[in-house]
Amino acid sequence: GDGRHSAGAAGGPSSPRQRGGALRMGGGLLRQCCILVLLVSSVMQLPIAEAKPKKYGQHTAKVHWKRENECSKGTCKGIHVDENEDCLARCVSESCHLEVYAAEPLEPGEVDKQRSSRFNACVRNEQEEQRRKSR
């Protein structure tokens, strides 16, 4: 018939399409929620990555890495790599270890970036002093 009936007939099938659109929108919302959950869980794991053994990434350039390597194979050999920071520091330089860590010793597994930087600077100064004397 007339235009009104065909519009009415077309209106009927358009209802499920609208519902389908809502379902599709819901699927997008579900996808967004899943992505958000993945992002949040990834971010929550970041501090764990920071706690990995220092061999995977240095926060400061070490001028004493050769000496530290010798210590890890000798004096500090029996201590797990995640817990040997204090032993390595003491082995590399007893005087810098005393200066930086004596008041508050490192606990096993502790990483203190500020004091580590101070220790590295101390060792660097020590090495430069020794070079000057040997000239």
Side-chain angles (χ1 to χ4, degrees):
D2 71 46
R4 275 183 259 153
H5 283 347
S6 62
S14 71
S15 295
R17 263 189 241 130
Q18 286 174 345
R19 262 186 255 126
L23 287 174
R24 267 183 260 127
M25 190 183 299
L29 187 61
L30 181 63
R31 189 178 315 119
Q32 288 174 345
C33 286
C34 288
I35 290 170
L36 183 64
V37 167
L38 288 172
L39 284 172
V40 169
S41 64
S42 297
V43 169
M44 289 174 68
Q45 291 178 6
L46 286 178
I48 294 169
E50 186 181 347
K52 282 185 178 177
K54 60 196 164 301
K55 308 304 181 234
Y56 292 104
Q58 294 298 100
H59 45 270
T60 55
K62 290 184 179 176
V63 292
H64 56 274
W65 63 271
K66 285 183 183 176
R67 179 77 183 115
E68 194 173 272
N69 200 20
E70 291 166 11
C71 292
S72 68
K73 292 176 182 173
T75 308
C76 305
K77 186 178 179 182
I79 303 170
H80 191 275
V81 69
D82 289 344
E83 299 180 349
N84 68 354
E85 191 73 34
D86 192 61
C87 180
L88 291 175
R90 188 178 293 121
C91 176
V92 166
S93 171
E94 187 72 41
S95 60
C96 289
H97 180 271
L98 281 170
E99 182 183 315
V100 177
Y101 297 110
E104 190 184 336
L106 282 172
E107 299 198 7
E110 180 183 0
V111 176
D112 185 328
K113 290 181 181 181
Q114 278 189 328
R115 290 196 294 167
S116 179
S117 291
R118 282 187 11 231
F119 177 80
N120 291 340
C122 178
V123 173
R124 193 176 306 117
N125 292 338
E126 241 181 29
Q127 289 180 345
E128 287 171 8
E129 195 73 30
Q130 286 172 354
R131 274 191 217 107
R132 274 188 232 121
K133 287 177 183 175
S134 66
R135 284 182 188 167

